[in-house]
Amino acid sequence: EAFYVIVTGTIHIERDGAFVRSMTDGGFLGEIGLIEGTEHTATATCTTECDLVELGGFEFGRVMANFPDVRARVETAAARRPHEDDV
């Protein structure tokens, strides 16, 4: 339901209870659900104190429409990450 950008902190990503990766400052998550209209494909847990920027669906759509560099980065990351069909 939202797109998150990590301003500061570390987030661990798990899928089916298994550690997948850590994400830190500048990382982002939640894009697959917004792009594809699906449920989340992983669980994210802050492992340090985190400051995040949260964008709802409308704001995310506006950013994607108005900032082609951001759109390209998000789409590239989404293509590498597991999708609902992979769950």
Side-chain angles (χ1 to χ4, degrees), residues 1-86:
E1 296 179 17
F3 175 77
Y4 298 92
V5 178
I6 305 167
V7 178
T8 60
T10 301
I11 294 179
H12 283 186
I13 306 299
E14 292 184 355
R15 186 164 182 217
D16 298 325
F19 175 79
V20 175
R21 68 180 167 278
S22 290
M23 301 176 77
T24 60
D25 307 2
F28 53 85
L29 55 148
E31 74 286 347
I32 293 172
L34 290 172
I35 291 170
E36 298 181 357
T38 60
E39 296 290 322
H40 66 278
T41 58
T43 300
T45 305
C46 292
T47 58
T48 66
E49 186 172 325
C50 292
D51 290 316
L52 307 172
V53 173
E54 177 183 3
L55 299 177
F58 176 78
E59 294 84 3
F60 177 74
R62 302 263 306 164
V63 168
M64 295 290 280
N66 291 299
F67 297 94
D69 291 346
V70 172
R71 181 183 187 106
R73 183 172 175 203
V74 168
E75 288 176 345
T76 298
R80 289 191 315 256
R81 295 180 183 173
H83 295 257
E84 184 180 42
D85 294 343
D86 302 330

